[in-house]
């Protein structure tokens, strides 16, 4: 078959609404997810605008505004909406303020967006005693009348600073004060899908009149286009992250809150954003942010230089099919590795013997067959080194033709330039090997899936004995239909996570994370999973994440769900303060079997192996891109068949993904096209 080279997902999904870019750049910039700092826009680089004074109360600074020249506190919306003249359809507004006692019946405007040629308030936020009103103007729905959304019992007049988050989406309006329980209001008129800001201006603390001026202190006013920022802001223990709501912040480890006071006044302790022209960056400014309003750049001081947090160097544009790799038979796992001075290899764990599994070598920009190795329903390969020795271990799921069941460690022979058998280890329907080093000692852990029909068996951790040159049993850990080991370190601590799939009656069972303490692994945390097939650990800045691939939701004791396979797979984040992983994001997957994390330029990605949707094995696997406060957002849909495993690798020519199919003898190399 000579099908033309198929281009998989040529167009970039900017993914705000899951649709494709069609009309060039405008569309793209309309969904620009950068924070728009309204407050800083009023402050000229040279100093303060007329009508503004800085006050400091309780150690926190804010602006006090005067009513004499309300227009001086305004600026054209086009200064913020550079590429697109529509107000976002969904957004959050974050305000930090301190209000004075307002006489009853008096209204004070926090800000307005007004058409130049009329007195219409297109968007506005207004405070009256114990009430907050959000105003907007909708031509499509209310015949050009203003709609007012009122939040009651909002008492801000306690001489304290407060942070408000207003999240708007369609007909639903949600106000959160100091990360307390949100106050949700649903109204008949939805926020307009297309509100033009052409010839409109923002006014700070007023509605272009002297009357209704805000008399308190205003410290922060940010518009965040896109989804509701509240969950990100208020579930995170790191309020530094939270209040800024940009990916940048996440680069910094959470500071341990000294007390609940910190939670109440996040800005007082944590807000370290500087505006204006480039400030100095020394160790005193470390972890401070600089928002360059004129260029919309957000920068983080790392102790010596300002690092750009919002601009990307290289960007993944699309993914293109690069090589069809015909395999010996269906392929469960793949392992890509480099043998120093020899080259780049891929090992495929194949189903049938003969011919068994194969190792391919990257030659002239392609994988070509290099060595066949007899394996018995091989599930995965693991490459590792101990000193100068190079090893490759296979997990065999079945017995050999003589009824013996074992998995094998192969060693690279420099003389033969092949892998040769080194050590056999008795295993029970082995699924996976993990290799790691703790305090200079080498370990190898096998996942035993089941013995006969019994899924509740021990998986084993072996320790390398340098004297005998063999792996010896060091610890056994009870597992239930286990699929995967994942080793990782955080600072001086070593962890091992197991993915438990099935205990004989249910796939809704706990998978466990172990920590190395006093010479052995001890239980650290248990997480409820659904036929967990894979754990993937990854770091973004100083943040540590753990993603689980949930394959299957089945419980013999509960009614059959509509679909066993279309279920969430979850990403957890290490919370340093709580010393545990907490749920960060759920992503809908279709019998997910693997996650692979990779980066391109300054961008981070996760690709999931979706294998089955309940009807067919031909399902799209998805590449998600890290978008800061939005978490991971789908950007590319890749057609796959029974997708089992993903591997990311780089050569001098570029970045690639390799995927294996558990349903057909064809793996594929995809090339990541960048600009
Ligand atoms: Ca593993
Ligand atoms: Ca993985
Ligand atoms: Ca993988």
């Amino acid at each position: 078959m000579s099908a033309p080279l198929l281009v998989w997902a040529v167009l970039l999904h900017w993914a705000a609404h899951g649709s494709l870019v069609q009309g060039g750049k405008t569309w793209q910039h309309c969904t620009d997810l950068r924070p728009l700092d309204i407050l800083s826009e009023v402050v000229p680089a040279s100093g303060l605008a007329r009508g503004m004074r800085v006050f400091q109360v309780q150690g926190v600074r804010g602006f006090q505004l005067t009513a004499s020249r309300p227009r001086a506190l305004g600026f054209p919306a086009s200064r913020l909406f550079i590429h697109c003249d529509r107000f976002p359809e969904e957004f959050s507004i974050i305000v930090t303020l301190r209000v004075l006692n307002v006489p009853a019946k008096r209204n004070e405007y926090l800000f307005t967006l007004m058409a130049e040629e009329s007195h219409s308030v297109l968007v506005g936020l207004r405070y009256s005693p114990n009430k907050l009103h959000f105003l907007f103007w909708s031509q499509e729905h209310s015949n050009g009348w203003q709609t007012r959304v009122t939040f009651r019992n909002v008492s801000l007049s306690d001489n304290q600073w407060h942070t408000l988050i207003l999240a708007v989406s369609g007909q639903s309006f949600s106000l959160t004060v100091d990360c307390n329980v949100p106050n949700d209001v649903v109204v008949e008129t939805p926020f307009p899908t297309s509100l033009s800001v052409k010839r409109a201006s923002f006014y700070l603390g007023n509605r272009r009149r002297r009357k209704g001026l805000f008399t308190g202190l205003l410290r922060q006013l940010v518009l965040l286009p896109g989804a509701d920022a509240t969950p990100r802001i208020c579930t995170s223990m790191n309020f530094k992250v939270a209040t800024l709501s940009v990916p940048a912040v996440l680069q910094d480890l959470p500071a341990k809150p000294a007390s609940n006071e910190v939670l109440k006044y996040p800005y007082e302790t944590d807000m370290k954003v500087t505006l204006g022209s480039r400030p100095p960056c020394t160790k005193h400014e470390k972890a401070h942010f600089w928002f360059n309003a004129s260029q919309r750049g957000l920068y983080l001081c790392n102790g010596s230089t300002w690092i750009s947090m919002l601009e990307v160097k290289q960007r993944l544009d699309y993914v293109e099919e690069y090589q069809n790799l015909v395999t010996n038979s269906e392929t469960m796992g793949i392992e890509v590795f480099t043998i120093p001075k020899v080259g780049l290899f891929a090992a495929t764990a194949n189903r049938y013997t003969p011919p068994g599994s194969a190792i391919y070598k990257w030659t002239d920009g392609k994988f070509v067959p290099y060595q066949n190795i007899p394996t018995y329903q091989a599930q995965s390969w693991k490459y590792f080194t101990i000193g100068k020795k190079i090893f490759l271990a296979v997990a065999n799921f079945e017995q050999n033709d003589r009824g013996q069941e074992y998995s094998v460690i192969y060693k690279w022979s420099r003389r033969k330039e092949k892998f040769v058998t080194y050590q056999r280890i008795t295993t029970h329907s082995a699924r996976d090997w993990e290799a790691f080093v703790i305090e200079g000692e080498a370990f190898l852990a096998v996942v035993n899936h089941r013995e006969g029909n019994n899924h509740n068996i021990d998986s084993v951790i072996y320790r390398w004995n340098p004297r005998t040159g063999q792996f010896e049993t060091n610890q056994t850990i009870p597992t239930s239909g286990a699929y995967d080991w994942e080793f990782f370190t955080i600072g001086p601590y070593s962890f091992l996570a197991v993915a438990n799939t099935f205990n004989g009656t249910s796939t809704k069972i706990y998978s466990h994370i172990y920590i190395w303490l006093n010479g052995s692994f001890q239980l650290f945390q248990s997480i409820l999973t659904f036929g967990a097939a894979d754990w993937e650990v990854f770091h973004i800045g100083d943040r540590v994440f753990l993603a689980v691939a949930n394959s299957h939701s089945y419980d013999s004791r509960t009614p059959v769900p509509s679909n066993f396979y279309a279920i969430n797979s979850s990403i957890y984040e290490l919370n340093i303060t709580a010393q545990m992983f907490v749920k960060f994001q759920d992503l809908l997957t279709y019998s997910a079997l693997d996650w692979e994390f990779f980066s391109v330029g300054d961008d981070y990605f996760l690709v999931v192996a979706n294998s089955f949707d309940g009807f067919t094995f031909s399902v799209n696997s998805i590449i998600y891109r890290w978008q800061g406060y939005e978490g991971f957002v789908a950007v590319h849909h890749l057609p796959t068949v029974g997708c089992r495993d993903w591997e990311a690798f780089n050569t001098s020519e570029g970045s690639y993904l390799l995927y294996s199919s558990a349903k057909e003898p064809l793996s594929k190399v995809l090339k990541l096209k960048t600009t």
Side-chain angles (χ1 to χ4, degrees), residues 161-177:
W161 289 96
H162 294 287
T163 294
L164 318 177
I165 306 163
L166 173 71
V168 174
S169 171
Q171 294 167 278
S172 110
F173 300 79
S174 168
L175 178 72
T176 306
V177 180

Side-chain angles (χ1 to χ4, degrees), residues 366-435:
K366 278 200 181 76
F367 282 120
V368 297
Y370 187 81
Q371 181 181 359
N372 268 340
I373 294 183
T375 53
Y376 304 92
Q377 274 214 32
Q379 300 292 304
S380 68
W381 286 103
K382 183 69 195 177
Y383 174 86
F384 61 98
T385 58
I386 298 176
K388 285 187 177 160
K389 297 185 179 69
I390 292 168
F391 297 100
L392 192 58
V394 72
N396 280 325
F397 197 69
E398 286 294 339
Q399 302 173 343
N400 68 9
D401 5 333
R402 278 175 280 164
Q404 302 161 314
E405 190 179 350
Y406 52 80
S407 291
V408 184
I409 302 163
Y410 299 88
K411 182 174 172 290
W412 176 255
S413 161
R414 286 193 167 78
R415 190 173 55 78
K416 294 182 183 164
E417 295 207 318
K418 293 268 147 111
F419 282 98
V420 297
T421 303
Y422 185 79
Q423 185 180 353
R424 287 177 180 171
I425 292 179
T426 299
T427 52
H428 304 286
S429 294
R431 286 275 189 195
D432 184 45
W433 284 107
E434 179 70 313

Side-chain angles (χ1 to χ4, degrees), residues 469-526:
Q470 297 281 297
F471 283 99
E472 297 168 359
T473 302
N474 191 61
Q475 186 180 358
T476 58
I477 292 181
T479 51
S480 298
Y483 241 76
D484 181 43
W485 279 123
E486 176 86 343
F487 176 82
F488 56 97
T489 59
I490 299 171
Y493 298 103
S494 296
F495 296 85
L496 193 58
V498 70
N500 282 326
T501 301
F502 184 58
N503 65 4
T505 53
S506 178
T507 65
K508 299 175 190 173
I509 56 175
Y510 284 93
S511 288
H512 304 292
I513 303 164
Y514 301 90
I515 182 168
W516 180 265
L517 289 174
N518 306 320
S520 69
F521 283 102
Q522 297 174 23
L523 187 61
F524 174 76
Q525 188 181 349
S526 299

Side-chain angles (χ1 to χ4, degrees), residues 71-111:
R71 277 182 184 273
L73 299 169
F75 62 92
S78 59
R79 267 167 49 192
L80 282 179
F81 294 83
I82 295 170
H83 303 286
C84 171
D85 54 14
R86 279 184 286 134
F87 201 86
E89 190 181 341
E90 292 187 353
F91 56 90
S92 301
I93 293 171
I94 300 178
V95 190
T96 298
L97 77 180
R98 187 175 180 277
V99 305
L100 296 177
N101 277 315
V102 177
K105 289 190 178 168
R106 183 153 136 188
N107 277 294
E108 295 194 348
Y109 286 84
L110 300 178
F111 84 96

Side-chain angles (χ1 to χ4, degrees), residues 333-335 534 536 593-597 644-648 658:
I334 37 176
E335 175 87 341
D534 180 58
E536 179 89 359
L593 296 177
D594 186 40
W595 282 109
E596 177 85 358
F597 178 77
R644 178 65 187 86
D645 198 11
W646 283 101
E647 287 275 288
L658 170 61

Side-chain angles (χ1 to χ4, degrees), residues 502-503 505-509 552-561 564:
F502 184 58
N503 65 4
T505 53
S506 178
T507 65
K508 299 175 190 173
I509 56 175
H552 188 178
S553 176
Y554 168 80
D555 191 326
S556 63
R557 295 157 304 185
T558 58
V560 175
F564 293 117

Side-chain angles (χ1 to χ4, degrees), residues 199-507:
R199 299 179 51 73
S201 291
F202 280 100
Y203 293 93
L204 207 68
N206 71 76
R207 51 170 300 198
R208 208 164 59 208
R209 292 186 195 167
R210 292 188 190 188
K211 205 179 156 205
L213 183 89
F214 177 61
T215 54
L217 297 179
L218 204 49
R219 175 171 175 75
Q220 169 89 347
L221 179 57
V222 174
L223 171 66
L224 284 172
D228 181 2
T230 317
R232 286 286 172 276
I233 287 174
C234 294
T235 54
S236 170
M237 289 297 285
N238 183 355
F239 283 85
K240 209 184 291 178
V241 172
T243 43
L244 283 168
S245 307
V246 280
V249 197
L250 316 175
Q251 309 291 327
D252 204 22
L253 269 186
K256 192 171 180 169
S259 70
N260 286 337
E261 288 302 284
V262 176
L263 308 188
K264 210 165 173 189
Y265 312 115
Y267 283 170
E268 184 160 341
T269 50
D270 285 329
M271 178 73 176
K272 293 167 188 162
V273 176
T274 312
L275 305 171
S277 54
R278 182 180 289 262
C281 166
T282 67
K283 65 181 196 297
H284 299 291
E285 287 86 21
K286 193 173 175 188
H288 286 213
F289 289 88
W290 165 45
F291 190 75
N292 182 337
S294 62
Q295 290 171 7
R296 307 273 165 284
L298 183 69
Y299 299 84
L300 172 69
C301 175
N302 69 356
S304 56
T305 50
W306 290 105
I307 301 166
S308 169
M309 309 310 303
L310 286 178
E311 285 153 41
V312 292
K313 286 179 200 146
Q314 218 185 19
R315 229 171 50 188
L316 175 60
D317 254 10
Y318 61 95
V319 181
E320 153 189 293
E321 202 172 284
Y322 182 80
Q323 183 189 0
N324 279 338
L325 183 63
V326 177
T327 52
N328 287 348
S329 56
E330 295 91 322
T331 305
M332 304 306 279
I334 37 176
E335 175 87 341
V336 176
F337 54 92
T338 300
I339 300 180
K341 294 185 190 145
V342 183
L344 177 76
F345 293 86
T348 58
N350 297 108
R351 190 165 166 198
Y352 293 118
T353 309
S357 296
I359 296 168
Y360 301 85
K361 188 173 182 214
W362 188 260
T363 312
D364 299 328
K366 278 200 181 76
F367 282 120
V368 297
Y370 187 81
Q371 181 181 359
N372 268 340
I373 294 183
T375 53
Y376 304 92
Q377 274 214 32
Q379 300 292 304
S380 68
W381 286 103
K382 183 69 195 177
Y383 174 86
F384 61 98
T385 58
I386 298 176
K388 285 187 177 160
K389 297 185 179 69
I390 292 168
F391 297 100
L392 192 58
V394 72
N396 280 325
F397 197 69
E398 286 294 339
Q399 302 173 343
N400 68 9
D401 5 333
R402 278 175 280 164
Q404 302 161 314
E405 190 179 350
Y406 52 80
S407 291
V408 184
I409 302 163
Y410 299 88
K411 182 174 172 290
W412 176 255
S413 161
R414 286 193 167 78
R415 190 173 55 78
K416 294 182 183 164
E417 295 207 318
K418 293 268 147 111
F419 282 98
V420 297
T421 303
Y422 185 79
Q423 185 180 353
R424 287 177 180 171
I425 292 179
T426 299
T427 52
H428 304 286
S429 294
R431 286 275 189 195
D432 184 45
W433 284 107
E434 179 70 313
F436 49 92
V437 173
I438 300 175
E439 292 156 10
E441 289 199 87
F443 292 84
L444 201 53
V446 74
V447 164
N448 287 322
H449 184 70
R450 61 173 157 82
E451 203 174 342
N453 277 331
N454 182 14
H455 288 78
N456 301 306
I457 57 171
D458 283 342
S459 288
V460 186
I461 297 158
Y462 302 90
R463 187 200 297 252
W464 172 256
N465 182 334
R467 202 173 40 78
T468 61
Q470 297 281 297
F471 283 99
E472 297 168 359
T473 302
N474 191 61
Q475 186 180 358
T476 58
I477 292 181
T479 51
S480 298
Y483 241 76
D484 181 43
W485 279 123
E486 176 86 343
F487 176 82
F488 56 97
T489 59
I490 299 171
Y493 298 103
S494 296
F495 296 85
L496 193 58
V498 70
N500 282 326
T501 301
F502 184 58
N503 65 4
T505 53
S506 178
T507 65

